[in-house]
Amino acid sequence: MRWAALLKSINAGKKVAMAELRDFLRAEGMGDVATLLASGNALFDSDEKDAATLEHHLRAAARDRLGLDTEWFLRDHPALASIVAANPFVEESRIRPNHVQVFFLHEPLAPALLDTLATIHEGPERLHAIDRALFVDYPVDIGNSKLPQAMARAKFPKAATARNWNTILKLVELTA
């Protein structure tokens, strides 16, 4: 099975060379290993068909072998393709794909969190949760957005990682 692995905070807090990540995955028995960008996106083949089992294994092995303690989010092609199909910000993704992000989660987001966020954050960002994906449209400026602080105050899951729309489309292509 072909997997896309999205690691949290790689090279935006936790340093690991992509060559080192590829070598690690090969040593863990993954096949046809590749990386995309230098931000913790890896692609590989595995006989394991259960994402949660593989996430747990790779997180523990990376902690032991690389000293890398971070979250792993695995998605196969159908899961990534369903994210593209469910995109609530189609026009925004076409016009400014770097300002539409998808946050990957281990569990579906509790709807009450979005309600809580609405009471404490009045920014221009729009959010929409579907299953284990949180779509965020940043119409103005990601770098100066106060949304991350508001999400922390609303107690959004800490175990999440985001990728912009261009990266999502490339991951779909590379897992096909």
Side-chain angles (χ1 to χ4, degrees), residues 46-67:
S46 173
D47 292 337
E48 179 58 61
K49 300 203 182 322
D50 181 66
T53 298
L54 197 50
E55 286 169 349
H56 178 76
H57 167 79
L58 291 172
R59 181 174 186 186
R63 187 180 321 115
D64 292 346
R65 297 185 53 197
L66 299 175

Side-chain angles (χ1 to χ4, degrees), residues 4 6 75-85 104 168 171-172 175:
L6 302 102
R75 301 294 189 269
D76 60 10
H77 178 76
L80 291 167
S82 73
I83 287 170
V84 171
F104 291 84
I168 300 295
L171 290 169
V172 169
T175 56

Side-chain angles (χ1 to χ4, degrees), residues 45-118:
D45 294 334
S46 173
D47 292 337
E48 179 58 61
K49 300 203 182 322
D50 181 66
T53 298
L54 197 50
E55 286 169 349
H56 178 76
H57 167 79
L58 291 172
R59 181 174 186 186
R63 187 180 321 115
D64 292 346
R65 297 185 53 197
L66 299 175
L68 177 65
D69 188 14
T70 195
E71 295 290 333
W72 289 67
F73 298 86
L74 286 126
R75 301 294 189 269
D76 60 10
H77 178 76
L80 291 167
S82 73
I83 287 170
V84 171
N87 181 6
F89 306 122
V90 174
E91 186 64 16
E92 296 83 350
S93 298
R94 188 184 64 73
I95 295 169
R96 44 188 170 68
N98 288 339
H99 284 240
V100 174
Q101 292 188 338
V102 177
F103 285 75
F104 291 84
L105 309 162
H106 288 303
E107 301 292 330
L109 190 68
L113 287 175
L114 292 174
D115 295 338
T116 300
L117 183 67

